[in-house]
Amino acid sequence: MDGSVPLRLWYVGIQVVSAAVLAVTGYLVYTRPDTHHRREFVAYAVVQTGWLLVATAKFLSGAPELKYALSLLTDLLAVGAIATLGYFATAYTNRSMSPRRPRNALFLCWLVVAVGGILTQPVFGLQYASVVYRQEPTAYLAVTPGPAYLLNGAVAAVVVLVSLVYLARLFVSSAHRPTSSVLLLVAAAVASLLPHAVSTLNAVPLLPGYDSTVFGIVPLTVLLAYTVFFRGELDLAPMARADIVDEIDDVLFGLDDAGRVVDYNAAAEPLLPVDVDTPVGTALSALLPGLDAELSLPDAGSDVTATYSTVVDGRRTHYAVSVSPIVERGTVAGYTVVLRDVTAVERSSRELARQNDQLERFASTVAHDLRNPLQVADGAATLVSGQLRTADTANAAAAADHMDRVTDALGRIDDRLDELQTLATHATSVTETEAVDFEGVVRTAWRDGNTAGMTLDVAEAGTIEAGRGRLASVFEQLVRHSRDRDAARVEVALTDSGFTYRDDGRRVPGADPDEARHSDTASAPPTGLGLEIVRTQVESQGWAVDIEGTDSGTAFVVTGAETTVGVTG
């Protein structure tokens, strides 16, 4: 066995083992179905494995012509490896793939030039300036780089470095990923570019002119796969740090498409379990099962809202939760979860609800306590009035008239008690609305009221977004006041922003309910409390009401509502 055999076996052995390592690496990545963009990486590994195998075949072949053809094929596969690496890094870091972007356009132009230079080598000699077949210390092709070869080598170095920078920025941008990952990517860059530099400078001591670039494949691919897919840090859907900002007060989590935590901000730390060392890479359901139980991850183009309560620093804290998908080329690559502290709002809401309950109970108690003696007084007054009317004296008849007025006053007090209860009940805001048939509500209130001798005209119908019961009560109050003010005609119309209610009864004193509240006289039935009920019911739905008095009557103009004129619900 001559001295060239061990050298040949050494080169062939390294390349075969390297191809096997690449194949295993690609297979291990492919068998991780939860990894992000694994198919793009596997394509890169497959091209590189092919590159190694063809390079091995070139070394083993004996014919110079075959070695020459296989050398051009290895160059084509090298260009393919660089192209797939750039594609993987660009896709994985969620960057634009559009050919209209200047960088992408230049990259595509280079691919065309590189492939053209290799294929036209026999004609123009752009890839190799010279090719020499040598047999010592073993049979191989010694090439002198041509302009296309040098250009491809320079572009390849740039693509490798830019791709690794893209990936490294995912670590640099986050406070929750170790800097050792960046060091691994730097080592991958050096390991991949050093053999190429040695070949370009024709500094191979054993085989001058031999292209040793292929020996940088394995360290680059293995370190890249380990850092990205097997270290448990970048196997999550990548997310720009702009989506996770430590300076804001809201709690922010970034999730991958499988619901695992990619990143989080400083405000989220008090919510995390103290016994979890590395929240990144852990499922949200394991970190915060209570929060996860309240959420459902949305599809592309939709957000999800929820509420969540937990104990933070010894006090009960309430959050309004919003989950938004991060969409990458039409598919969901991850989620942004925002928790806004609404504890103060929740407490205010509960306090307001408690006060409303107290107000309603107070009104009910007052009405109950006053109604019993009023009923007794009314009954006694009715009996006395009846007895006096049977007496045959003028004074008795006058006393009976006075007792009738007492009975009427007691009836009015009873009506005011009813209105007081209605006011207390309807002071709370409406939280649930529906598209209500406007004309139907108006005519129902008209039918249920004492409207004998009055006419109704619904000039414009449609639907209005409102609380059905609250809106019905508004019209019941308005119809009642039209009757009390001796109105003969009522006209109601739906508008683009609410509705108008007009009648020809006695004009309400002033255009403000506060003024009307103090206008009760013997000649004008009291309307102030009833108008206060109307105002409260209208404002509880987020609307506004104005009272416009004219010589021909009064108009109630309600604005701020959502209506659909001419369409009935």
Side-chain angles (χ1 to χ4, degrees):
M1 181 180 295
D2 59 39
S4 65
V5 174
L7 182 61
R8 174 188 290 266
L9 291 178
W10 186 75
Y11 269 82
V12 170
I14 289 178
Q15 293 180 159
V16 170
V17 171
S18 298
V21 171
L22 288 180
V24 171
T25 302
Y27 174 76
L28 292 177
V29 172
Y30 183 77
T31 55
R32 293 172 62 89
D34 57 340
T35 53
H36 195 60
H37 288 294
R38 61 188 175 94
R39 296 183 184 277
E40 288 86 343
F41 184 87
V42 170
Y44 161 68
V46 168
V47 174
Q48 297 224 75
T49 303
W51 182 8
L52 271 166
L53 293 176
V54 172
T56 303
K58 179 182 72 171
F59 206 90
L60 291 174
S61 64
E65 294 80 5
L66 182 58
K67 284 182 179 291
Y68 183 69
L70 292 176
S71 181
L72 293 177
L73 181 56
T74 57
D75 289 349
L76 286 172
L77 290 172
V79 170
I82 295 301
T84 53
L85 173 62
Y87 181 82
F88 163 72
T90 303
Y92 191 88
T93 54
N94 201 27
R95 298 175 184 271
S96 174
M97 307 292 289
S98 172
R100 297 181 179 179
R101 299 291 297 270
R103 283 179 299 192
N104 297 341
L106 287 174
F107 183 70
L108 293 175
C109 289
W110 167 74
L111 284 178
V112 174
V113 172
V115 172
I118 295 170
L119 295 179
T120 59
Q121 164 62 26
V123 179
F124 300 107
L126 298 176
Q127 184 70 5
Y128 308 136
S130 65
V131 179
V132 178
Y133 178 69
R134 294 179 178 175
Q135 295 183 336
E136 294 295 336
T138 187
Y140 73 98
L141 285 183
V143 300
T144 301
Y149 184 98
L150 295 174
L151 174 64
N152 295 343
V155 174
V158 170
V159 172
V160 170
L161 290 175
V162 169
S163 299
L164 295 180
V165 167
Y166 282 172
L167 297 170
R169 288 181 64 181
L170 290 177
F171 296 102
V172 175
S173 64
S174 174
H176 311 298
R177 293 179 175 128
T179 55
S180 59
S181 296
V182 178
L183 297 178
L184 286 173
L185 293 178
V186 172
V190 173
S192 65
L193 297 178
L194 185 59
H196 175 73
V198 170
S199 296
T200 303
L201 297 174
N202 198 18
V204 180
L206 295 177
L207 301 177
Y210 183 77
D211 187 359
S212 302
T213 305
V214 70
F215 293 107
I217 293 176
V218 171
L220 171 63
T221 306
V222 172
L223 286 175
L224 190 59
Y226 172 69
T227 306
V228 173
F229 295 104
F230 297 102
R231 244 193 134 187
E233 293 146 359
L234 275 183
D235 55 339
L236 310 178
M239 178 177 298
R241 187 63 180 173
D243 290 333
I244 307 291
V245 184
D246 281 325
E247 286 74 12
I248 66 175
D249 295 330
D250 292 339
V251 175
L252 295 173
F253 288 101
L255 308 181
D256 73 344
D257 52 359
R260 295 172 299 182
V261 175
V262 175
D263 223 331
Y264 58 93
N265 66 345
E269 293 178 359
L271 276 69
L272 298 173
V274 295
D275 57 343
V276 177
D277 295 329
T278 56
V280 172
T282 304
L284 183 67
S285 58
L287 287 174
L288 299 172
L291 173 61
D292 183 73
E294 300 293 334
L295 300 180
S296 60
L297 298 180
D299 298 327
S302 63
D303 293 346
V304 169
T305 58
T307 58
Y308 173 60
S309 298
T310 187
V311 176
V312 179
D313 295 333
R315 69 183 185 95
R316 174 65 61 175
T317 306
H318 305 277
Y319 294 98
V321 186
S322 176
V323 184
S324 301
I326 298 175
V327 180
E328 174 188 322
R329 298 193 301 276
T331 61
V332 176
Y335 305 91
T336 299
V337 182
V338 182
L339 286 78
R340 174 157 295 177
D341 190 340
V342 293
T343 303
V345 176
E346 181 70 18
R347 289 175 179 171
S348 298
S349 177
R350 293 183 179 183
E351 178 63 19
L352 180 60
R354 185 186 64 81
Q355 292 176 353
N356 287 333
D357 290 340
Q358 287 181 336
L359 176 61
E360 189 171 349
R361 287 196 299 270
F362 168 76
S364 178
T365 300
V366 170
H368 179 270
D369 291 347
L370 292 180
R371 188 163 280 124
N372 284 337
L374 284 175
Q375 290 175 346
V376 174
D378 182 64
T382 301
L383 291 174
V384 172
S385 177
Q387 292 174 352
L388 289 174
R389 290 192 180 280
T390 59
D392 193 17
T393 65
N395 290 335
D401 291 337
H402 288 306
M403 292 305 298
D404 287 343
R405 285 194 292 273
V406 169
T407 301
D408 181 62
L410 293 175
R412 291 170 61 188
I413 293 174
D414 189 61
D415 291 341
R416 299 295 83 75
L417 290 175
D418 288 338
E419 292 175 343
L420 177 62
Q421 282 189 290
T422 301
L423 180 63
T425 302
H426 292 155
T428 57
S429 298
V430 173
T431 58
E432 295 184 2
T433 63
E434 59 180 304
V436 179
D437 180 5
F438 180 75
E439 183 176 5
V441 170
V442 172
R443 294 198 179 276
T444 298
W446 184 266
R447 182 181 64 250
D448 295 342
N450 184 9
T451 56
M454 301 168 60
T455 59
L456 170 67
D457 180 20
V458 181
E460 197 70 60
T463 63
I464 181 170
E465 191 71 21
R468 182 180 296 273
R470 196 71 57 91
L471 182 62
S473 182
V474 168
F475 284 114
E476 289 170 1
Q477 292 290 337
L478 290 175
V479 169
R480 176 178 177 179
H481 288 297
S482 295
R483 182 196 64 207
D484 291 344
R485 290 183 290 107
D486 299 326
R489 179 180 177 81
V490 173
E491 181 179 329
V492 185
L494 192 65
T495 66
D496 292 336
S497 61
F499 62 88
T500 59
Y501 180 99
R502 303 176 186 273
D503 66 28
D504 58 358
R506 288 193 300 273
R507 181 177 179 271
V508 174
D512 184 83
D514 292 332
E515 181 181 345
R517 186 184 300 115
H518 304 293
S519 65
D520 295 349
T521 63
S523 61
T527 59
L529 187 57
L531 293 182
E532 181 68 13
I533 292 174
V534 171
R535 183 185 67 81
T536 300
Q537 291 173 325
V538 167
E539 292 180 352
S540 70
Q541 305 197 72
W543 308 337
V545 59
D546 289 327
I547 302 177
E548 301 174 357
T550 64
D551 294 338
S552 59
T554 304
F556 298 83
V557 181
V558 174
T559 56
E562 296 182 12
T563 64
T564 304
V565 178
V567 178
T568 58

